[in-house]
Amino acid sequence: MSETLDQGYWNNRWQHHQLGWDIGYPSTPLVDYINGLENKGISILIPGCGNAYEAAYLLEQGFNNITVIDIAEKAVELVKEKFAGKEGIRIIHGDFFELEGRYDLILEQTFFCALDPALRPTYVSKMAELLKVAGQLVGVLFNTQFQRQGPPFGGSEAEYRPLFEKSMDICVMEPCRNSIPERQGNELFIILKKKNGKD
């Protein structure tokens, strides 16, 4: 991890309520995608889960094999309180890059953009490692450059395609049509499928 964007950095942001990325509800593009899923038993991972709004929505829809992870102790503490007594969800305080397991689906929502861009190749490799054969990484990526130093860190489709296509088939990478109002025109929706035989 970057020296500045480490566990202490993110925990400090949570403790001081500096949560500019927190929209207060599940992301519209992910909600629409989740609504199209039929198999409620698939294994789902949400890295950098924050307040875990998408996890709450998944549980409400009957999904029962959800794992969330965040490096910030305070975030995990709040999520554990939020889901106390709930079944179907596993909550981990830890580093995504040290996580072990295999998942059918990984949901990306403001995690990629929170990482030091130097870690992006490692992010892609780790995602491929964590996905089952033909598993999918689905979510949104910023399609804009930010004027101030991140996080969040921006990017473009031209940067992302060569980054991801080494380990994944790009099924969808296009301007997001159903972004939240504050992010309209600045997001790409992605559906990336782990290449066959890469387990």
Side-chain angles (χ1 to χ4, degrees):
M1 291 293 284
S2 163
E3 286 183 9
T4 54
L5 302 182
D6 59 7
Q7 180 175 337
Y9 171 88
W10 290 110
N11 204 49
N12 186 62
R13 291 283 298 263
W14 276 91
Q15 288 178 331
H16 292 88
H17 306 287
Q18 297 171 340
L19 311 177
W21 64 85
D22 190 311
I23 62 176
Y25 54 89
S27 171
T28 311
L30 291 185
V31 165
D32 288 351
Y33 179 80
I34 290 166
N35 289 345
L37 296 174
E38 295 181 359
N39 183 355
K40 309 291 187 181
I42 59 171
S43 52
I44 302 173
L45 171 67
I46 305 176
C49 65
N51 272 312
Y53 300 115
E54 286 77 21
Y57 186 77
L58 284 163
L59 286 174
E60 289 168 7
Q61 305 310 305
F63 290 87
N64 56 34
N65 190 0
I66 305 159
T67 299
V68 300
I69 182 170
D70 205 291
I71 200 167
E73 186 176 2
K74 183 62 177 177
V76 172
E77 190 180 296
L78 293 171
V79 169
K80 284 183 175 179
E81 290 176 10
K82 181 176 186 174
F83 295 112
K86 297 272 189 184
E87 296 183 355
I89 184 166
R90 178 180 174 222
I91 302 164
I92 301 172
H93 172 227
D95 187 338
F96 163 80
F97 294 101
E98 297 174 1
L99 182 64
E100 296 182 358
R102 292 290 185 276
Y103 301 90
D104 296 300
L105 173 65
I106 302 178
L107 295 179
E108 166 58 52
Q109 164 66 7
T110 65
F111 178 57
F112 179 85
C113 70
L115 297 171
D116 185 327
L119 287 174
R120 288 178 175 179
T122 310
Y123 167 104
V124 174
S125 298
K126 188 64 181 180
M127 286 292 182
E129 175 190 318
L130 290 170
L131 285 168
K132 295 179 181 178
V133 171
Q136 293 186 331
L137 170 63
V138 176
V140 287
L141 302 176
F142 277 118
N143 188 30
T144 186
Q145 298 290 351
F146 298 102
Q147 292 187 354
R148 63 174 182 77
Q149 177 68 20
F153 299 97
S156 68
E157 181 177 351
E159 294 174 49
Y160 301 149
R161 279 189 174 271
L163 181 68
F164 283 102
E165 61 191 4
K166 295 173 185 175
S167 303
M168 301 186 193
D169 294 321
I170 299 176
C171 304
V172 175
M173 184 177 284
E174 62 188 22
C176 191
R177 298 184 297 274
N178 52 356
S179 297
I180 64 170
E182 298 88 341
R183 297 176 185 166
Q184 284 287 345
N186 292 320
E187 288 185 316
L188 294 170
F189 184 70
I190 59 167
I191 300 178
L192 310 177
K193 186 177 179 181
K194 181 169 177 173
K195 290 183 183 291
N196 287 334
K198 300 278 187 179
D199 199 13

